[in-house]
PDB file of all heavy atoms in Angstrom:
ATOM      1  N   LYS A1116     174.555 276.416  46.652  1.00 85.00           N
ATOM      2  CA  LYS A1116     175.736 275.587  46.880  1.00 85.00           C
ATOM      3  C   LYS A1116     175.378 274.442  47.809  1.00 85.00           C
ATOM      4  O   LYS A1116     174.385 274.487  48.528  1.00 85.00           O
ATOM      5  CB  LYS A1116     176.882 276.401  47.469  1.00 85.00           C
ATOM      6  CG  LYS A1116     176.620 276.951  48.856  1.00 85.00           C
ATOM      7  CD  LYS A1116     177.854 277.685  49.375  1.00 85.00           C
ATOM      8  CE  LYS A1116     177.627 278.157  50.823  1.00 85.00           C
ATOM      9  NZ  LYS A1116     178.839 278.822  51.358  1.00 85.00           N
ATOM     10  N   HIS A1117     176.198 273.409  47.786  1.00 85.00           N
ATOM     11  CA  HIS A1117     175.970 272.270  48.666  1.00 85.00           C
ATOM     12  C   HIS A1117     176.227 272.688  50.113  1.00 85.00           C
ATOM     13  O   HIS A1117     177.186 273.415  50.402  1.00 85.00           O
ATOM     14  CB  HIS A1117     176.899 271.111  48.301  1.00 85.00           C
ATOM     15  CG  HIS A1117     176.596 270.480  46.983  1.00 85.00           C
ATOM     16  ND1 HIS A1117     175.419 269.805  46.717  1.00 85.00           N
ATOM     17  CD2 HIS A1117     177.324 270.410  45.841  1.00 85.00           C
ATOM     18  CE1 HIS A1117     175.443 269.340  45.478  1.00 85.00           C
ATOM     19  NE2 HIS A1117     176.578 269.697  44.929  1.00 85.00           N
ATOM     20  N   PRO A1118     175.413 272.220  51.062  1.00 87.00           N
ATOM     21  CA  PRO A1118     175.695 272.485  52.480  1.00 87.00           C
ATOM     22  C   PRO A1118     177.069 271.959  52.862  1.00 87.00           C
ATOM     23  O   PRO A1118     177.522 270.932  52.352  1.00 87.00           O
ATOM     24  CB  PRO A1118     174.579 271.714  53.199  1.00 87.00           C
ATOM     25  CG  PRO A1118     173.489 271.563  52.192  1.00 87.00           C
ATOM     26  CD  PRO A1118     174.176 271.437  50.869  1.00 87.00           C
ATOM     27  N   ASP A1119     177.728 272.666  53.757  1.00 88.00           N
ATOM     28  CA  ASP A1119     179.080 272.286  54.151  1.00 88.00           C
ATOM     29  C   ASP A1119     179.150 270.850  54.676  1.00 88.00           C
ATOM     30  O   ASP A1119     180.144 270.151  54.475  1.00 88.00           O
ATOM     31  CB  ASP A1119     179.603 273.237  55.230  1.00 88.00           C
ATOM     32  CG  ASP A1119     179.845 274.641  54.705  1.00 88.00           C
ATOM     33  OD1 ASP A1119     179.943 274.805  53.467  1.00 88.00           O
ATOM     34  OD2 ASP A1119     179.923 275.577  55.527  1.00 88.00           O
ATOM     35  N   GLY A1120     178.093 270.401  55.361  1.00 89.00           N
ATOM     36  CA  GLY A1120     178.119 269.085  55.983  1.00 89.00           C
ATOM     37  C   GLY A1120     178.160 267.919  55.034  1.00 89.00           C
ATOM     38  O   GLY A1120     178.525 266.812  55.443  1.00 89.00           O
ATOM     39  N   ILE A1121     177.792 268.127  53.761  1.00 91.00           N
ATOM     40  CA  ILE A1121     177.802 267.003  52.823  1.00 91.00           C
ATOM     41  C   ILE A1121     179.028 267.011  51.912  1.00 91.00           C
ATOM     42  O   ILE A1121     179.212 266.079  51.126  1.00 91.00           O
ATOM     43  CB  ILE A1121     176.526 266.961  51.968  1.00 91.00           C
ATOM     44  CG1 ILE A1121     176.501 268.099  50.948  1.00 91.00           C
ATOM     45  CG2 ILE A1121     175.284 266.970  52.846  1.00 91.00           C
ATOM     46  CD1 ILE A1121     175.446 267.937  49.881  1.00 91.00           C
ATOM     47  N   LEU A1122     179.858 268.020  52.036  1.00 94.00           N
ATOM     48  CA  LEU A1122     181.046 268.067  51.189  1.00 94.00           C
ATOM     49  C   LEU A1122     181.987 266.916  51.540  1.00 94.00           C
ATOM     50  O   LEU A1122     182.152 266.577  52.713  1.00 94.00           O
ATOM     51  CB  LEU A1122     181.778 269.401  51.370  1.00 94.00           C
ATOM     52  CG  LEU A1122     181.015 270.649  50.939  1.00 94.00           C
ATOM     53  CD1 LEU A1122     181.853 271.894  51.242  1.00 94.00           C
ATOM     54  CD2 LEU A1122     180.661 270.582  49.458  1.00 94.00           C
ATOM     55  N   PRO A1123     182.625 266.309  50.545  1.00 96.00           N
ATOM     56  CA  PRO A1123     183.545 265.198  50.833  1.00 96.00           C
ATOM     57  C   PRO A1123     184.859 265.680  51.419  1.00 96.00           C
ATOM     58  O   PRO A1123     185.236 266.845  51.298  1.00 96.00           O
ATOM     59  CB  PRO A1123     183.768 264.575  49.451  1.00 96.00           C
ATOM     60  CG  PRO A1123     183.554 265.697  48.485  1.00 96.00           C
ATOM     61  CD  PRO A1123     182.486 266.564  49.103  1.00 96.00           C
ATOM     62  N   VAL A1124     185.533 264.764  52.069  1.00 97.00           N
ATOM     63  CA  VAL A1124     186.892 265.006  52.564  1.00 97.00           C
ATOM     64  C   VAL A1124     187.870 264.386  51.570  1.00 97.00           C
ATOM     65  O   VAL A1124     187.681 263.247  51.135  1.00 97.00           O
ATOM     66  CB  VAL A1124     187.091 264.394  53.958  1.00 97.00           C
ATOM     67  CG1 VAL A1124     188.565 264.419  54.364  1.00 97.00           C
ATOM     68  CG2 VAL A1124     186.254 265.144  54.990  1.00 97.00           C
ATOM     69  N   ARG A1125     188.885 265.139  51.226  1.00 97.00           N
ATOM     70  CA  ARG A1125     189.937 264.646  50.335  1.00 97.00           C
ATOM     71  C   ARG A1125     191.122 264.193  51.178  1.00 97.00           C
ATOM     72  O   ARG A1125     191.720 264.976  51.911  1.00 97.00           O
ATOM     73  CB  ARG A1125     190.391 265.737  49.366  1.00 97.00           C
ATOM     74  CG  ARG A1125     191.657 265.402  48.573  1.00 97.00           C
ATOM     75  CD  ARG A1125     192.082 266.603  47.743  1.00 97.00           C
ATOM     76  NE  ARG A1125     193.393 266.414  47.141  1.00 97.00           N
ATOM     77  CZ  ARG A1125     194.540 266.780  47.723  1.00 97.00           C
ATOM     78  NH1 ARG A1125     194.534 267.342  48.924  1.00 97.00           N
ATOM     79  NH2 ARG A1125     195.691 266.597  47.097  1.00 97.00           N
ATOM     80  N   VAL A1126     191.439 262.903  51.081  1.00 98.00           N
ATOM     81  CA  VAL A1126     192.607 262.334  51.746  1.00 98.00           C
ATOM     82  C   VAL A1126     193.671 262.176  50.671  1.00 98.00           C
ATOM     83  O   VAL A1126     193.555 261.341  49.770  1.00 98.00           O
ATOM     84  CB  VAL A1126     192.275 260.975  52.395  1.00 98.00           C
ATOM     85  CG1 VAL A1126     193.478 260.446  53.160  1.00 98.00           C
ATOM     86  CG2 VAL A1126     191.061 261.104  53.322  1.00 98.00           C
ATOM     87  N   ALA A1127     194.697 262.988  50.738  1.00 98.00           N
ATOM     88  CA  ALA A1127     195.695 263.034  49.669  1.00 98.00           C
ATOM     89  C   ALA A1127     196.521 261.748  49.610  1.00 98.00           C
ATOM     90  O   ALA A1127     196.640 261.011  50.596  1.00 98.00           O
ATOM     91  CB  ALA A1127     196.615 264.236  49.861  1.00 98.00           C
ATOM     92  N   LYS A1128     197.084 261.515  48.461  1.00 98.00           N
ATOM     93  CA  LYS A1128     197.969 260.363  48.263  1.00 98.00           C
ATOM     94  C   LYS A1128     199.046 260.334  49.342  1.00 98.00           C
ATOM     95  O   LYS A1128     199.730 261.327  49.582  1.00 98.00           O
ATOM     96  CB  LYS A1128     198.609 260.439  46.882  1.00 98.00           C
ATOM     97  CG  LYS A1128     199.621 259.340  46.587  1.00 98.00           C
ATOM     98  CD  LYS A1128     200.237 259.517  45.205  1.00 98.00           C
ATOM     99  CE  LYS A1128     201.281 258.444  44.941  1.00 98.00           C
ATOM    100  NZ  LYS A1128     201.925 258.615  43.609  1.00 98.00           N
ATOM    101  N   GLY A1129     199.175 259.185  50.010  1.00 97.00           N
ATOM    102  CA  GLY A1129     200.206 259.016  51.024  1.00 97.00           C
ATOM    103  C   GLY A1129     199.919 259.698  52.345  1.00 97.00           C
ATOM    104  O   GLY A1129     200.795 259.714  53.221  1.00 97.00           O
ATOM    105  N   ALA A1130     198.709 260.243  52.541  1.00 97.00           N
ATOM    106  CA  ALA A1130     198.411 260.989  53.771  1.00 97.00           C
ATOM    107  C   ALA A1130     198.476 260.114  55.010  1.00 97.00           C
ATOM    108  O   ALA A1130     198.831 260.588  56.089  1.00 97.00           O
ATOM    109  CB  ALA A1130     197.027 261.631  53.667  1.00 97.00           C
ATOM    110  N   LEU A1131     198.133 258.834  54.884  1.00 97.00           N
ATOM    111  CA  LEU A1131     198.116 257.940  56.041  1.00 97.00           C
ATOM    112  C   LEU A1131     199.414 257.165  56.207  1.00 97.00           C
ATOM    113  O   LEU A1131     199.650 256.540  57.240  1.00 97.00           O
ATOM    114  CB  LEU A1131     196.953 256.953  55.930  1.00 97.00           C
ATOM    115  CG  LEU A1131     195.571 257.551  55.679  1.00 97.00           C
ATOM    116  CD1 LEU A1131     194.523 256.449  55.629  1.00 97.00           C
ATOM    117  CD2 LEU A1131     195.215 258.584  56.732  1.00 97.00           C
ATOM    118  N   GLY A1132     200.244 257.191  55.161  1.00 94.00           N
ATOM    119  CA  GLY A1132     201.491 256.425  55.156  1.00 94.00           C
ATOM    120  C   GLY A1132     201.846 256.081  53.723  1.00 94.00           C
ATOM    121  O   GLY A1132     201.145 256.474  52.783  1.00 94.00           O
ATOM    122  N   PRO A1133     202.928 255.348  53.504  1.00 92.00           N
ATOM    123  CA  PRO A1133     203.339 254.993  52.143  1.00 92.00           C
ATOM    124  C   PRO A1133     202.213 254.306  51.358  1.00 92.00           C
ATOM    125  O   PRO A1133     201.691 253.273  51.777  1.00 92.00           O
ATOM    126  CB  PRO A1133     204.525 254.040  52.370  1.00 92.00           C
ATOM    127  CG  PRO A1133     205.049 254.414  53.717  1.00 92.00           C
ATOM    128  CD  PRO A1133     203.844 254.811  54.528  1.00 92.00           C
ATOM    129  N   ASP A1134     201.810 254.927  50.232  1.00 93.00           N
ATOM    130  CA  ASP A1134     200.775 254.378  49.348  1.00 93.00           C
ATOM    131  C   ASP A1134     199.428 254.182  50.042  1.00 93.00           C
ATOM    132  O   ASP A1134     198.616 253.356  49.614  1.00 93.00           O
ATOM    133  CB  ASP A1134     201.230 253.056  48.729  1.00 93.00           C
ATOM    134  CG  ASP A1134     202.380 253.236  47.757  1.00 93.00           C
ATOM    135  OD1 ASP A1134     202.389 254.283  47.071  1.00 93.00           O
ATOM    136  OD2 ASP A1134     203.263 252.373  47.697  1.00 93.00           O
ATOM    137  N   ALA A1135     199.178 254.906  51.089  1.00 97.00           N
ATOM    138  CA  ALA A1135     197.894 254.810  51.775  1.00 97.00           C
ATOM    139  C   ALA A1135     197.312 256.228  51.957  1.00 97.00           C
ATOM    140  O   ALA A1135     197.721 256.932  52.884  1.00 97.00           O
ATOM    141  CB  ALA A1135     198.043 254.115  53.130  1.00 97.00           C
ATOM    142  N   PRO A1136     196.429 256.629  51.072  1.00 98.00           N
ATOM    143  CA  PRO A1136     196.009 255.918  49.850  1.00 98.00           C
ATOM    144  C   PRO A1136     197.058 256.079  48.749  1.00 98.00           C
ATOM    145  O   PRO A1136     197.956 256.906  48.856  1.00 98.00           O
ATOM    146  CB  PRO A1136     194.701 256.628  49.475  1.00 98.00           C
ATOM    147  CG  PRO A1136     194.879 258.021  49.991  1.00 98.00           C
ATOM    148  CD  PRO A1136     195.666 257.891  51.270  1.00 98.00           C
ATOM    149  N   HIS A1137     196.913 255.296  47.682  1.00 97.00           N
ATOM    150  CA  HIS A1137     197.879 255.388  46.591  1.00 97.00           C
ATOM    151  C   HIS A1137     197.493 256.448  45.562  1.00 97.00           C
ATOM    152  O   HIS A1137     198.246 256.729  44.635  1.00 97.00           O
ATOM    153  CB  HIS A1137     198.098 254.037  45.907  1.00 97.00           C
ATOM    154  CG  HIS A1137     196.848 253.370  45.433  1.00 97.00           C
ATOM    155  ND1 HIS A1137     195.988 253.927  44.531  1.00 97.00           N
ATOM    156  CD2 HIS A1137     196.323 252.158  45.749  1.00 97.00           C
ATOM    157  CE1 HIS A1137     194.984 253.096  44.287  1.00 97.00           C
ATOM    158  NE2 HIS A1137     195.152 252.028  45.027  1.00 97.00           N
ATOM    159  N   CYS A1138     196.312 257.049  45.729  1.00 97.00           N
ATOM    160  CA  CYS A1138     195.925 258.252  45.001  1.00 97.00           C
ATOM    161  C   CYS A1138     194.881 258.961  45.870  1.00 97.00           C
ATOM    162  O   CYS A1138     194.425 258.421  46.882  1.00 97.00           O
ATOM    163  CB  CYS A1138     195.379 257.937  43.613  1.00 97.00           C
ATOM    164  SG  CYS A1138     193.830 257.033  43.607  1.00 97.00           S
ATOM    165  N   ASP A1139     194.513 260.173  45.515  1.00 98.00           N
ATOM    166  CA  ASP A1139     193.589 260.925  46.352  1.00 98.00           C
ATOM    167  C   ASP A1139     192.290 260.139  46.567  1.00 98.00           C
ATOM    168  O   ASP A1139     191.713 259.588  45.627  1.00 98.00           O
ATOM    169  CB  ASP A1139     193.267 262.268  45.717  1.00 98.00           C
ATOM    170  CG  ASP A1139     194.445 263.237  45.766  1.00 98.00           C
ATOM    171  OD1 ASP A1139     195.489 262.871  46.347  1.00 98.00           O
ATOM    172  OD2 ASP A1139     194.316 264.348  45.229  1.00 98.00           O
ATOM    173  N   LEU A1140     191.840 260.107  47.821  1.00 98.00           N
ATOM    174  CA  LEU A1140     190.626 259.390  48.215  1.00 98.00           C
ATOM    175  C   LEU A1140     189.596 260.406  48.679  1.00 98.00           C
ATOM    176  O   LEU A1140     189.918 261.323  49.439  1.00 98.00           O
ATOM    177  CB  LEU A1140     190.955 258.418  49.355  1.00 98.00           C
ATOM    178  CG  LEU A1140     189.783 257.765  50.097  1.00 98.00           C
ATOM    179  CD1 LEU A1140     189.009 256.835  49.173  1.00 98.00           C
ATOM    180  CD2 LEU A1140     190.301 256.999  51.319  1.00 98.00           C
ATOM    181  N   PHE A1141     188.350 260.247  48.228  1.00 97.00           N
ATOM    182  CA  PHE A1141     187.276 261.163  48.585  1.00 97.00           C
ATOM    183  C   PHE A1141     186.178 260.391  49.311  1.00 97.00           C
ATOM    184  O   PHE A1141     185.588 259.461  48.758  1.00 97.00           O
ATOM    185  CB  PHE A1141     186.712 261.851  47.341  1.00 97.00           C
ATOM    186  CG  PHE A1141     187.708 262.733  46.635  1.00 97.00           C
ATOM    187  CD1 PHE A1141     188.557 262.211  45.666  1.00 97.00           C
ATOM    188  CD2 PHE A1141     187.813 264.083  46.958  1.00 97.00           C
ATOM    189  CE1 PHE A1141     189.481 263.018  45.023  1.00 97.00           C
ATOM    190  CE2 PHE A1141     188.737 264.893  46.326  1.00 97.00           C
ATOM    191  CZ  PHE A1141     189.576 264.366  45.353  1.00 97.00           C
ATOM    192  N   ILE A1142     185.913 260.790  50.546  1.00 97.00           N
ATOM    193  CA  ILE A1142     184.930 260.113  51.385  1.00 97.00           C
ATOM    194  C   ILE A1142     184.097 261.155  52.124  1.00 97.00           C
ATOM    195  O   ILE A1142     184.470 262.326  52.193  1.00 97.00           O
ATOM    196  CB  ILE A1142     185.610 259.174  52.406  1.00 97.00           C
ATOM    197  CG1 ILE A1142     186.686 259.925  53.191  1.00 97.00           C
ATOM    198  CG2 ILE A1142     186.195 257.951  51.717  1.00 97.00           C
ATOM    199  CD1 ILE A1142     187.417 259.088  54.216  1.00 97.00           C
ATOM    200  N   SER A1143     182.971 260.719  52.676  1.00 96.00           N
ATOM    201  CA  SER A1143     182.143 261.639  53.450  1.00 96.00           C
ATOM    202  C   SER A1143     182.805 261.940  54.786  1.00 96.00           C
ATOM    203  O   SER A1143     183.699 261.225  55.244  1.00 96.00           O
ATOM    204  CB  SER A1143     180.742 261.048  53.665  1.00 96.00           C
ATOM    205  OG  SER A1143     180.820 259.892  54.486  1.00 96.00           O
TER     206      SER A1143
END
């Protein structure tokens, strides 16, 4: 399996505020 440290973070739609992000965002 991939090491835990390289797994991406999922920022769900609207997690930061209205339409931010406007769909799920995946980043390191």
Side-chain angles (χ1 to χ4, degrees):
K1116 65 177 184 178
H1117 292 295
D1119 292 342
I1121 71 167
L1122 296 177
V1124 170
R1125 169 185 171 269
V1126 184
K1128 176 181 178 181
L1131 308 181
D1134 292 325
H1137 54 59
C1138 66
D1139 289 357
L1140 168 66
F1141 296 88
I1142 52 180
S1143 66

